[in-house]
Amino acid sequence: MTRDLHLIRHAKSSWNEPHLADHDRPLNARGRRAAPLIGRAMALQVHESPRFFVSTARRARDTFSGLCDGWPQLKKASMSETSALYTFSWETLSDWLGECDDSLYNLAIIGHNPAMTDLINYLCPDLALDNLPTAGWVWLRFEASSWSEAVSKPSGAKAIESLRPKALMGEAR
């Protein structure tokens, strides 16, 4: 039985308002351009929209909105804002994922680094990512009967796609 996991780092955030708490920072112009590009790329490759779980940070929520601009069908998809995803620890992400509903076979997480990069490298070390860039997307597939089983072993995932927004920037002009 296969399970698909889409890991998306939030798009580039703004530091123009230094008085804002980290949790409240919006996307900057580059982030607002990159998120729809990734959404469009996902729409071309992912045939069934995943169930989205999004960090409660504004930049993560804004990233989901941007993905929807590029993949309009996502506006009808199920999305949950999840405070546990406002983390920088891959272990916390892994624990959360291991407790996900096993009736869900296609999940997407919009979260933060270094947690995203570290989780990807744990689950699929063949990718050997130095850094999942802002608005970067990695699609992993597991042969597992549960999410707990999927995250219980290092190297348990196969990479289906790994995409950086810069790879799409030239195509958008």
Side-chain angles (χ1 to χ4, degrees), residues 127-158:
L127 280 177
L129 286 182
D130 288 333
N131 179 50
L132 181 64
T134 52
W137 166 46
V138 171
W139 177 3
L140 300 177
R141 180 164 289 154
F142 303 86
E143 294 292 333
S145 61
S146 68
W147 286 108
S148 177
E149 178 188 342
V151 298
S152 68
K153 54 188 178 251
S155 308
K158 175 185 174 189

Side-chain angles (χ1 to χ4, degrees), residues 59-89:
R59 59 192 180 274
R61 292 179 286 126
D62 289 351
T63 298
F64 179 75
S65 294
L67 291 176
C68 290
D69 291 342
W71 188 0
Q73 293 81 356
L74 281 185
K75 293 174 183 167
K76 299 175 196 163
S78 181
M79 187 277 273
S80 299
E81 292 180 22
T82 306
S83 61
L85 300 180
Y86 182 65
T87 184
F88 307 99
S89 161

Side-chain angles (χ1 to χ4, degrees), residues 155-166:
S155 308
K158 175 185 174 189
I160 304 299
E161 180 64 84
S162 178
L163 192 57
R164 299 168 178 265
K166 281 187 179 180

